Short mmCIF file of all heavy atoms in Angstrom, two decimals:
data_model
loop_
_atom_site.label_atom_id
_atom_site.label_comp_id
_atom_site.label_asym_id
_atom_site.label_seq_id
_atom_site.Cartn_x
_atom_site.Cartn_y
_atom_site.Cartn_z
N SER Y 1 0.35 12.46 7.75
CA SER Y 1 0.28 11.45 6.69
C SER Y 1 -0.60 11.93 5.53
O SER Y 1 -0.51 11.40 4.42
CB SER Y 1 -0.26 10.13 7.24
OG SER Y 1 -1.60 10.26 7.69
N PHE Y 2 -1.43 12.93 5.78
CA PHE Y 2 -2.28 13.52 4.74
C PHE Y 2 -1.57 14.66 4.02
O PHE Y 2 -1.57 14.74 2.79
CB PHE Y 2 -3.58 14.02 5.39
CG PHE Y 2 -4.57 14.63 4.44
CD1 PHE Y 2 -5.55 13.87 3.85
CD2 PHE Y 2 -4.53 15.99 4.15
CE1 PHE Y 2 -6.47 14.43 2.98
CE2 PHE Y 2 -5.44 16.57 3.28
CZ PHE Y 2 -6.42 15.78 2.69
N THR Y 3 -0.96 15.57 4.80
CA THR Y 3 -0.40 16.78 4.22
C THR Y 3 0.98 16.59 3.59
O THR Y 3 1.29 17.23 2.59
CB THR Y 3 -0.31 17.89 5.29
OG1 THR Y 3 0.37 17.37 6.44
CG2 THR Y 3 -1.69 18.37 5.71
N LEU Y 4 1.80 15.72 4.17
CA LEU Y 4 3.17 15.57 3.65
C LEU Y 4 3.20 15.05 2.21
O LEU Y 4 3.89 15.64 1.37
CB LEU Y 4 4.00 14.68 4.57
CG LEU Y 4 5.47 14.53 4.17
CD1 LEU Y 4 6.20 15.88 4.21
CD2 LEU Y 4 6.18 13.51 5.08
N PRO Y 5 2.47 13.97 1.86
CA PRO Y 5 2.50 13.52 0.47
C PRO Y 5 1.99 14.56 -0.51
O PRO Y 5 2.44 14.63 -1.66
CB PRO Y 5 1.60 12.28 0.47
CG PRO Y 5 1.54 11.84 1.88
CD PRO Y 5 1.65 13.09 2.70
N ARG Y 6 1.07 15.39 -0.07
CA ARG Y 6 0.54 16.43 -0.94
C ARG Y 6 1.53 17.57 -1.14
O ARG Y 6 1.45 18.30 -2.11
CB ARG Y 6 -0.79 16.96 -0.37
CG ARG Y 6 -1.94 15.99 -0.57
CD ARG Y 6 -3.15 16.35 0.29
NE ARG Y 6 -4.31 15.55 -0.07
CZ ARG Y 6 -4.50 14.29 0.28
NH1 ARG Y 6 -3.59 13.67 1.01
NH2 ARG Y 6 -5.59 13.64 -0.09
N ALA Y 7 2.48 17.69 -0.20
CA ALA Y 7 3.50 18.73 -0.33
C ALA Y 7 4.70 18.26 -1.13
O ALA Y 7 5.24 19.00 -1.96
CB ALA Y 7 3.95 19.19 1.06
N VAL Y 8 5.14 17.03 -0.89
CA VAL Y 8 6.42 16.58 -1.48
C VAL Y 8 6.27 15.38 -2.40
O VAL Y 8 7.26 14.95 -3.01
CB VAL Y 8 7.45 16.26 -0.37
CG1 VAL Y 8 7.65 17.46 0.54
CG2 VAL Y 8 7.04 15.04 0.45
N GLY Y 9 5.07 14.82 -2.53
CA GLY Y 9 4.89 13.61 -3.32
C GLY Y 9 4.98 12.37 -2.45
O GLY Y 9 5.61 12.37 -1.40
N LEU Y 10 4.36 11.29 -2.91
CA LEU Y 10 4.27 10.08 -2.10
C LEU Y 10 5.62 9.43 -1.85
O LEU Y 10 5.93 9.03 -0.71
CB LEU Y 10 3.33 9.07 -2.76
CG LEU Y 10 3.13 7.76 -2.01
CD1 LEU Y 10 2.58 8.01 -0.60
CD2 LEU Y 10 2.19 6.84 -2.79
N ALA Y 11 6.47 9.34 -2.85
CA ALA Y 11 7.75 8.64 -2.68
C ALA Y 11 8.63 9.34 -1.65
O ALA Y 11 9.22 8.70 -0.77
CB ALA Y 11 8.47 8.52 -4.02
N LYS Y 12 8.72 10.67 -1.75
CA LYS Y 12 9.56 11.40 -0.80
C LYS Y 12 8.94 11.37 0.59
O LYS Y 12 9.66 11.28 1.60
CB LYS Y 12 9.74 12.85 -1.26
CG LYS Y 12 10.90 13.56 -0.56
CD LYS Y 12 12.23 12.92 -0.91
CE LYS Y 12 13.37 13.52 -0.13
NZ LYS Y 12 14.66 12.89 -0.47
N ALA Y 13 7.61 11.41 0.65
CA ALA Y 13 6.95 11.32 1.96
C ALA Y 13 7.24 9.98 2.60
O ALA Y 13 7.50 9.90 3.81
CB ALA Y 13 5.44 11.52 1.80
N CYS Y 14 7.21 8.91 1.81
CA CYS Y 14 7.54 7.58 2.35
C CYS Y 14 8.96 7.57 2.92
O CYS Y 14 9.20 7.03 4.00
CB CYS Y 14 7.42 6.52 1.25
SG CYS Y 14 5.72 6.07 0.86
N GLU Y 15 9.89 8.15 2.19
CA GLU Y 15 11.27 8.18 2.66
C GLU Y 15 11.39 8.94 3.98
O GLU Y 15 12.04 8.46 4.92
CB GLU Y 15 12.17 8.83 1.60
CG GLU Y 15 13.64 8.88 1.98
CD GLU Y 15 14.50 9.54 0.93
OE1 GLU Y 15 14.03 9.75 -0.20
OE2 GLU Y 15 15.67 9.84 1.24
N MET Y 16 10.75 10.10 4.06
CA MET Y 16 10.84 10.90 5.27
C MET Y 16 10.17 10.22 6.46
O MET Y 16 10.71 10.20 7.57
CB MET Y 16 10.22 12.28 5.05
CG MET Y 16 10.99 13.19 4.11
SD MET Y 16 10.23 14.82 3.95
CE MET Y 16 10.44 15.45 5.63
N VAL Y 17 8.99 9.64 6.23
CA VAL Y 17 8.23 9.03 7.32
C VAL Y 17 8.86 7.72 7.77
O VAL Y 17 8.95 7.44 8.98
CB VAL Y 17 6.77 8.80 6.88
CG1 VAL Y 17 6.04 7.92 7.88
CG2 VAL Y 17 6.04 10.14 6.73
N LEU Y 18 9.32 6.90 6.84
CA LEU Y 18 9.81 5.57 7.20
C LEU Y 18 11.24 5.56 7.72
O LEU Y 18 11.64 4.61 8.39
CB LEU Y 18 9.67 4.63 5.99
CG LEU Y 18 8.24 4.48 5.45
CD1 LEU Y 18 8.21 3.51 4.28
CD2 LEU Y 18 7.29 4.03 6.55
N THR Y 19 12.01 6.60 7.41
CA THR Y 19 13.36 6.70 7.97
C THR Y 19 13.41 7.57 9.22
O THR Y 19 14.21 7.34 10.12
CB THR Y 19 14.36 7.27 6.96
OG1 THR Y 19 14.02 8.64 6.67
CG2 THR Y 19 14.40 6.45 5.68
N GLY Y 20 12.55 8.60 9.26
CA GLY Y 20 12.61 9.58 10.35
C GLY Y 20 13.84 10.46 10.28
O GLY Y 20 14.16 11.17 11.24
N ASP Y 21 14.55 10.44 9.14
CA ASP Y 21 15.79 11.19 9.01
C ASP Y 21 15.54 12.70 9.01
O ASP Y 21 14.46 13.17 8.64
CB ASP Y 21 16.52 10.82 7.71
CG ASP Y 21 17.20 9.46 7.80
OD1 ASP Y 21 17.28 8.91 8.91
OD2 ASP Y 21 17.64 8.96 6.75
N MET Y 22 16.55 13.44 9.39
CA MET Y 22 16.52 14.90 9.39
C MET Y 22 17.00 15.41 8.04
O MET Y 22 17.96 14.88 7.47
CB MET Y 22 17.43 15.44 10.49
CG MET Y 22 17.31 16.94 10.73
SD MET Y 22 15.88 17.40 11.72
CE MET Y 22 16.37 16.82 13.36
N ILE Y 23 16.32 16.40 7.50
CA ILE Y 23 16.78 17.05 6.27
C ILE Y 23 17.01 18.53 6.57
O ILE Y 23 16.39 19.10 7.48
CB ILE Y 23 15.79 16.89 5.10
CG1 ILE Y 23 14.46 17.58 5.40
CG2 ILE Y 23 15.59 15.42 4.77
CD1 ILE Y 23 13.52 17.61 4.21
N ASP Y 24 17.91 19.16 5.81
CA ASP Y 24 18.20 20.57 6.05
C ASP Y 24 17.28 21.46 5.23
O ASP Y 24 16.45 20.99 4.44
CB ASP Y 24 19.67 20.88 5.77
CG ASP Y 24 20.08 20.64 4.32
OD1 ASP Y 24 19.21 20.56 3.43
OD2 ASP Y 24 21.30 20.54 4.08
N ALA Y 25 17.43 22.76 5.41
CA ALA Y 25 16.53 23.72 4.76
C ALA Y 25 16.65 23.68 3.24
O ALA Y 25 15.64 23.79 2.53
CB ALA Y 25 16.82 25.12 5.28
N ALA Y 26 17.87 23.52 2.74
CA ALA Y 26 18.06 23.49 1.29
C ALA Y 26 17.34 22.31 0.67
O ALA Y 26 16.70 22.44 -0.39
CB ALA Y 26 19.56 23.43 0.97
N GLU Y 27 17.41 21.14 1.31
CA GLU Y 27 16.71 19.97 0.80
C GLU Y 27 15.20 20.16 0.92
O GLU Y 27 14.45 19.76 0.01
CB GLU Y 27 17.14 18.72 1.57
CG GLU Y 27 16.39 17.44 1.23
CD GLU Y 27 16.67 16.91 -0.17
OE1 GLU Y 27 17.47 17.51 -0.91
OE2 GLU Y 27 16.07 15.88 -0.53
N ALA Y 28 14.76 20.79 1.99
CA ALA Y 28 13.32 21.05 2.16
C ALA Y 28 12.79 21.94 1.04
O ALA Y 28 11.70 21.72 0.52
CB ALA Y 28 13.07 21.70 3.51
N GLU Y 29 13.58 22.92 0.64
CA GLU Y 29 13.18 23.78 -0.48
C GLU Y 29 13.19 23.00 -1.78
O GLU Y 29 12.28 23.13 -2.61
CB GLU Y 29 14.09 24.99 -0.57
CG GLU Y 29 13.70 25.96 -1.68
CD GLU Y 29 14.59 27.18 -1.74
OE1 GLU Y 29 15.78 27.07 -1.38
OE2 GLU Y 29 14.11 28.24 -2.17
N ARG Y 30 14.19 22.16 -1.97
CA ARG Y 30 14.33 21.41 -3.23
C ARG Y 30 13.13 20.49 -3.46
O ARG Y 30 12.65 20.36 -4.59
CB ARG Y 30 15.62 20.59 -3.21
CG ARG Y 30 15.94 19.90 -4.55
CD ARG Y 30 17.13 18.97 -4.44
NE ARG Y 30 16.79 17.77 -3.68
CZ ARG Y 30 16.14 16.71 -4.19
NH1 ARG Y 30 15.72 16.73 -5.45
NH2 ARG Y 30 15.88 15.66 -3.45
N ILE Y 31 12.63 19.86 -2.40
CA ILE Y 31 11.54 18.91 -2.56
C ILE Y 31 10.15 19.56 -2.43
O ILE Y 31 9.14 18.88 -2.57
CB ILE Y 31 11.66 17.75 -1.56
CG1 ILE Y 31 11.50 18.23 -0.11
CG2 ILE Y 31 12.97 17.00 -1.75
CD1 ILE Y 31 11.51 17.11 0.92
N GLY Y 32 10.12 20.86 -2.17
CA GLY Y 32 8.84 21.55 -2.09
C GLY Y 32 8.19 21.55 -0.72
O GLY Y 32 7.03 21.93 -0.58
N LEU Y 33 8.93 21.15 0.30
CA LEU Y 33 8.40 21.17 1.66
C LEU Y 33 8.21 22.60 2.14
O LEU Y 33 7.27 22.90 2.88
CB LEU Y 33 9.34 20.41 2.60
CG LEU Y 33 8.93 20.31 4.07
CD1 LEU Y 33 7.61 19.54 4.20
CD2 LEU Y 33 10.01 19.63 4.89
N VAL Y 34 9.11 23.50 1.73
CA VAL Y 34 8.99 24.92 2.05
C VAL Y 34 9.00 25.73 0.75
O VAL Y 34 9.54 25.29 -0.26
CB VAL Y 34 10.11 25.41 2.99
CG1 VAL Y 34 10.09 24.63 4.29
CG2 VAL Y 34 11.48 25.32 2.33
N ASN Y 35 8.37 26.90 0.81
CA ASN Y 35 8.31 27.75 -0.38
C ASN Y 35 9.67 28.33 -0.73
O ASN Y 35 10.05 28.40 -1.89
CB ASN Y 35 7.32 28.89 -0.16
CG ASN Y 35 5.90 28.41 -0.06
OD1 ASN Y 35 5.54 27.73 0.89
ND2 ASN Y 35 5.07 28.75 -1.02
N ARG Y 36 10.38 28.77 0.32
CA ARG Y 36 11.72 29.32 0.09
C ARG Y 36 12.50 29.37 1.39
O ARG Y 36 11.93 29.29 2.49
CB ARG Y 36 11.65 30.71 -0.54
CG ARG Y 36 11.05 31.81 0.29
CD ARG Y 36 11.10 33.11 -0.48
NE ARG Y 36 10.62 34.26 0.25
CZ ARG Y 36 9.39 34.71 0.21
NH1 ARG Y 36 8.48 34.07 -0.52
NH2 ARG Y 36 9.03 35.79 0.88
N VAL Y 37 13.82 29.51 1.25
CA VAL Y 37 14.74 29.61 2.38
C VAL Y 37 15.37 30.99 2.34
O VAL Y 37 15.77 31.47 1.27
CB VAL Y 37 15.82 28.52 2.31
CG1 VAL Y 37 16.82 28.67 3.46
CG2 VAL Y 37 15.18 27.13 2.33
N VAL Y 38 15.46 31.62 3.50
CA VAL Y 38 16.07 32.94 3.61
C VAL Y 38 17.13 32.92 4.71
O VAL Y 38 17.10 32.05 5.59
CB VAL Y 38 15.01 34.03 3.91
CG1 VAL Y 38 13.97 34.10 2.80
CG2 VAL Y 38 14.34 33.78 5.26
N PRO Y 39 18.08 33.86 4.68
CA PRO Y 39 19.04 33.94 5.78
C PRO Y 39 18.30 34.08 7.12
O PRO Y 39 17.27 34.76 7.20
CB PRO Y 39 19.86 35.20 5.45
CG PRO Y 39 19.76 35.33 3.96
CD PRO Y 39 18.37 34.86 3.63
N HIS Y 40 18.84 33.45 8.15
CA HIS Y 40 18.15 33.39 9.44
C HIS Y 40 17.71 34.77 9.93
O HIS Y 40 16.58 34.94 10.39
CB HIS Y 40 19.06 32.72 10.48
CG HIS Y 40 18.41 32.56 11.82
ND1 HIS Y 40 17.46 31.58 12.07
CD2 HIS Y 40 18.54 33.27 12.97
CE1 HIS Y 40 17.05 31.70 13.32
NE2 HIS Y 40 17.69 32.70 13.89
N ASP Y 41 18.58 35.75 9.83
CA ASP Y 41 18.27 37.08 10.35
C ASP Y 41 17.19 37.80 9.56
O ASP Y 41 16.63 38.81 10.02
CB ASP Y 41 19.54 37.95 10.40
CG ASP Y 41 20.54 37.47 11.45
OD1 ASP Y 41 20.14 36.70 12.34
OD2 ASP Y 41 21.71 37.86 11.35
N ASP Y 42 16.89 37.29 8.36
CA ASP Y 42 15.87 37.92 7.51
C ASP Y 42 14.52 37.22 7.58
O ASP Y 42 13.58 37.62 6.89
CB ASP Y 42 16.34 37.93 6.05
CG ASP Y 42 17.57 38.80 5.82
OD1 ASP Y 42 17.80 39.71 6.65
OD2 ASP Y 42 18.29 38.56 4.84
N LEU Y 43 14.42 36.17 8.41
CA LEU Y 43 13.23 35.34 8.39
C LEU Y 43 11.95 36.11 8.70
O LEU Y 43 10.99 36.09 7.92
CB LEU Y 43 13.38 34.17 9.38
CG LEU Y 43 12.15 33.26 9.50
CD1 LEU Y 43 11.86 32.55 8.19
CD2 LEU Y 43 12.34 32.26 10.64
N MET Y 44 11.90 36.80 9.82
CA MET Y 44 10.67 37.47 10.21
C MET Y 44 10.37 38.65 9.29
O MET Y 44 9.21 38.95 9.02
CB MET Y 44 10.73 37.92 11.66
CG MET Y 44 10.69 36.75 12.65
SD MET Y 44 9.28 35.63 12.38
CE MET Y 44 7.89 36.70 12.73
N LYS Y 45 11.40 39.31 8.78
CA LYS Y 45 11.19 40.38 7.82
C LYS Y 45 10.50 39.83 6.57
O LYS Y 45 9.53 40.42 6.07
CB LYS Y 45 12.53 41.01 7.45
CG LYS Y 45 12.44 42.12 6.40
CD LYS Y 45 13.82 42.74 6.18
CE LYS Y 45 13.78 43.86 5.14
NZ LYS Y 45 13.57 43.34 3.77
N ALA Y 46 10.98 38.69 6.07
CA ALA Y 46 10.39 38.08 4.88
C ALA Y 46 8.96 37.64 5.14
O ALA Y 46 8.07 37.84 4.30
CB ALA Y 46 11.24 36.90 4.42
N ALA Y 47 8.71 37.06 6.32
CA ALA Y 47 7.36 36.60 6.65
C ALA Y 47 6.41 37.77 6.79
O ALA Y 47 5.27 37.73 6.29
CB ALA Y 47 7.39 35.78 7.93
N ARG Y 48 6.85 38.84 7.45
CA ARG Y 48 6.00 40.01 7.61
C ARG Y 48 5.68 40.65 6.26
O ARG Y 48 4.54 41.06 6.02
CB ARG Y 48 6.68 41.04 8.52
CG ARG Y 48 6.62 40.72 10.01
CD ARG Y 48 7.22 41.86 10.81
NE ARG Y 48 7.02 41.72 12.24
CZ ARG Y 48 7.87 41.10 13.06
NH1 ARG Y 48 8.99 40.57 12.57
NH2 ARG Y 48 7.62 41.02 14.35
#
């Protein structure tokens, strides 16, 4: 409840918390939940 609004903003955090809905990686990137999305096979390479 502390970190999510700071990542995506209060309104989007309310939507995610109060619905409990699942969002995909593209939406997570769009709202700023993740820095970026990479192809699955490239994930650890990108992180390293």
Side-chain angles (χ1 to χ4, degrees):
S1 65
F2 181 92
T3 52
L4 184 62
R6 285 165 171 77
V8 304
L10 180 58
K12 196 64 185 180
C14 284
E15 181 181 347
M16 290 183 66
V17 169
L18 301 181
T19 65
D21 285 349
M22 189 79 72
I23 64 172
D24 63 17
E27 175 68 1
E29 182 179 30
R30 187 187 72 80
I31 65 176
L33 181 62
V34 301
N35 293 67
R36 65 179 184 267
V37 177
V38 299
H40 183 76
D41 291 343
D42 295 337
L43 177 64
M44 290 308 296
K45 178 176 180 289
R48 282 185 172 91

